[in-house]
Amino acid sequence: MPAPPVLLFLGAGKKLGTQVPTVFAEAGYKIAVVARTRKEEFESSGYYQVQADFNNPECIPEIFAKVREDVGIPTVVVYNAVQYTLDDPEDPFASLAPENVSRLHSAVTVNGTTPLIAIHHAIESFRSLPPDTPGKTFIFTGNILNHSQFKNRLCFGIGKTVAAYGVRYASEAYAKEGFKFYYADERSEEGLPVMRDIDGILAGREYLKIAEAPEQLTWLYTYTKDNGYKDFGEKDYLKTVDSNESRFIKGGR
């Protein structure tokens, strides 16, 4: 008998952090959300909440243990936490100077190390589910930085690239067990990053789609608002525009 569907959402901040769980809840999933602070809207929605700081990778085992005991074994795990400081666009490696290097450590930990540890615990969770349970999917909220460079996002891009490597590796290494792994990245129709315009409801629908797909789809799951999945290949899309445009210099996912 399959286990009930459970979404474990790591990094439940604004936008995706509230909208993706809503989509899964409407599809019948039990919801567990993890954030630095508890939120009243999650309480009123009946979500199980865990407080954690993803700058500390050692929080992950405890999160999975709590959710397993109080909600159920996660069938879908989404890692959505993000942390970075913009680098100096004229001197990005200044972020690695002794007085600034904590920027690199934090970006790599939250965007790279902690999600890889979450992948390990997701695998252990999936293995403990009944064989006929659907889902068994890990999704990382990514962006274009795994193969394109922003001039002021050196540290952030390093962290995202670490995660992308791990997700791709896992998608191959655990395919024989039927587990699925995705680096999900919303783009514009021309292949550019959507930045602050990332759509939480769209992400929820796409994440639910790939979570419930019977087999692994392309691990690098780039998608657009109008067409869903769209293969943009390995082209460096940021070289097609002026990288000094304010929309790229400002913050945003």
Side-chain angles (χ1 to χ4, degrees):
M1 182 176 179
V6 175
L7 170 68
L8 171 54
F9 194 93
L10 302 163
K14 299 177 181 179
K15 215 162 193 179
L16 269 69
T18 58
Q19 295 171 331
V20 172
T22 296
V23 173
F24 276 79
E26 291 174 350
Y29 283 69
K30 296 180 180 179
I31 308 295
V33 293
V34 185
R36 288 182 178 179
T37 58
R38 297 178 66 87
K39 294 181 173 60
E40 185 176 335
E41 60 188 296
F42 291 153
E43 189 79 30
S44 61
S45 296
Y47 300 166
Y48 179 77
Q49 297 190 68
V50 181
Q51 288 182 257
D53 182 350
F54 296 107
N55 273 293
N56 175 20
E58 295 179 2
C59 71
I60 294 296
E62 183 179 2
I63 290 170
F64 274 82
K66 285 182 176 179
V67 171
R68 180 169 183 153
E69 180 177 352
D70 297 336
V71 183
I73 302 171
T75 59
V76 177
V77 178
V78 172
Y79 190 93
N80 184 66
V82 62
Q83 175 68 43
Y84 69 95
T85 301
L86 293 175
D87 308 301
D88 181 347
E90 301 305 322
D91 188 13
F93 272 83
S95 291
L96 277 66
E99 65 272 17
N100 299 325
V101 74
S102 61
R103 301 175 186 175
L104 174 66
H105 296 323
S106 180
V108 171
T109 298
V110 176
N111 303 295
T113 305
T114 303
L116 296 193
I117 293 174
I119 286 178
H120 164 72
H121 288 277
I123 291 166
E124 293 301 303
S125 294
F126 299 160
R127 283 176 172 161
S128 64
L129 290 165
D132 58 345
T133 301
K136 299 178 182 176
T137 303
F138 180 95
I139 303 169
F140 178 88
T141 300
N143 58 26
I144 202 171
L145 292 179
N146 60 308
H147 66 73
S148 292
Q149 290 73 49
F150 276 76
K151 63 194 303 182
N152 61 347
R153 287 173 178 77
L154 171 65
C155 298
F156 191 22
I158 291 171
K160 289 290 189 181
T161 302
V162 169
Y165 182 89
V167 168
R168 184 174 191 174
Y169 198 108
S171 72
E172 296 287 342
Y174 298 95
K176 62 183 179 296
E177 297 185 57
F179 305 158
K180 298 171 294 179
F181 302 86
Y182 295 97
Y183 183 97
D185 174 13
E186 184 186 351
R187 303 276 190 88
S188 67
E189 290 299 328
E190 57 271 15
L192 294 171
V194 294
M195 309 290 287
R196 295 180 185 272
D197 293 328
I198 190 168
D199 187 322
I201 295 298
L202 174 64
R205 291 170 180 164
E206 292 296 327
Y207 289 12
L208 182 63
K209 182 194 304 181
I210 57 180
E212 298 193 339
E215 297 180 351
Q216 173 82 45
L217 305 176
T218 305
W219 73 274
L220 180 57
Y221 193 83
T222 46
Y223 64 95
T224 70
K225 184 170 294 188
D226 293 334
N227 292 301
Y229 173 72
K230 186 173 182 178
D231 183 5
F232 291 102
E234 295 298 320
K235 182 178 178 182
D236 188 343
Y237 281 83
L238 292 181
K239 289 183 178 178
T240 69
V241 298
D242 182 358
S243 62
N244 288 315
E245 288 186 29
S246 60
R247 60 177 170 149
F248 297 129
I249 295 298
K250 293 179 181 178
R253 301 189 70 119

